Amino acid sequence: MSPEEIRPLIECNSVAAIDPYRGWVYYDGDCGMCVEFARRLKRRLLGRGFGFSPIQVGSVSAGGSGSLSTEQWIREELSLPAESPVTEMLVRAEGRLLRGAEAVVYLARWIWWAWPLYAIAHLPGVLPVLRIAYRWVADRRHCLSGACRLPMR
């Protein structure tokens, strides 16, 4: 599915909608920490061609079969069971769906002061450590923000 087919409506300082040319960043709109992180990223990446949308809103064209909610589309793309919550930030860019640590590393490439993370992540053995760190934070985000409604696994 091309980025042109992905058009959830988002707000950007009273602009009704944008058409991002680099990709979409999807985040958990029910998580206070995730919403705050997305808000901070949005200030830096919106002008660089990224759109932002909570996983829980919007829809995606599913070809001849109509459209799917963003969350249903993500579940299908990642082959997740319906009862499994989507607990990672996702980035749809360059024909790929990146998740978790890979998504953060990809976005770091586009922020001048975070670019070293992008470079370091490509050294042998660094990305697996970043995945563990991301998973640790994701599993505890409700404790860290005090606003998430998802139970800890």
Side-chain angles (χ1 to χ4, degrees), residues 105-121:
V105 167
Y106 179 82
L107 294 174
R109 171 183 176 190
W110 303 101
I111 302 172
W112 72 267
W113 51 262
W115 192 88
L117 174 64
Y118 174 77
I120 291 169

Side-chain angles (χ1 to χ4, degrees), residues 35-147:
V35 170
E36 179 60 22
F37 186 66
R39 185 186 68 78
R40 290 172 185 253
L41 283 176
K42 188 176 182 181
R43 288 194 321 232
R44 289 161 180 84
L45 295 173
L46 205 56
R48 290 181 175 90
F50 288 94
F52 287 77
S53 176
I55 292 166
Q56 295 84 357
V57 300
S59 63
V60 177
S61 172
S65 61
S67 66
L68 296 172
S69 74
T70 302
E71 193 166 6
Q72 289 172 321
W73 171 75
I74 289 169
R75 285 184 198 291
E76 284 188 14
E77 288 285 311
L78 299 177
S79 301
L80 294 174
E83 65 280 355
S84 176
V86 179
T87 61
E88 297 174 302
M89 178 175 40
L90 298 124
V91 174
R92 176 74 171 183
E94 299 177 9
R96 301 178 295 162
L97 186 61
L98 305 168
R99 60 196 282 192
E102 285 85 355
V104 172
V105 167
Y106 179 82
L107 294 174
R109 171 183 176 190
W110 303 101
I111 302 172
W112 72 267
W113 51 262
W115 192 88
L117 174 64
Y118 174 77
I120 291 169
H122 290 84
L123 295 174
V126 174
L127 194 54
V129 172
L130 292 175
R131 286 184 190 125
I132 291 167
Y134 186 95
R135 187 77 261 148
W136 187 89
V137 170
D139 287 345
R140 290 159 182 79
R141 69 187 193 270
H142 69 284
C143 294
L144 299 171
S145 71

Side-chain angles (χ1 to χ4, degrees), residues 3-8 10 17-24 49-51:
E4 291 80 32
E5 294 176 296
I6 305 168
R7 299 191 194 288
I10 65 170
I18 63 167
D19 187 12
Y21 58 90
R22 281 211 210 284
W24 283 97
F50 288 94

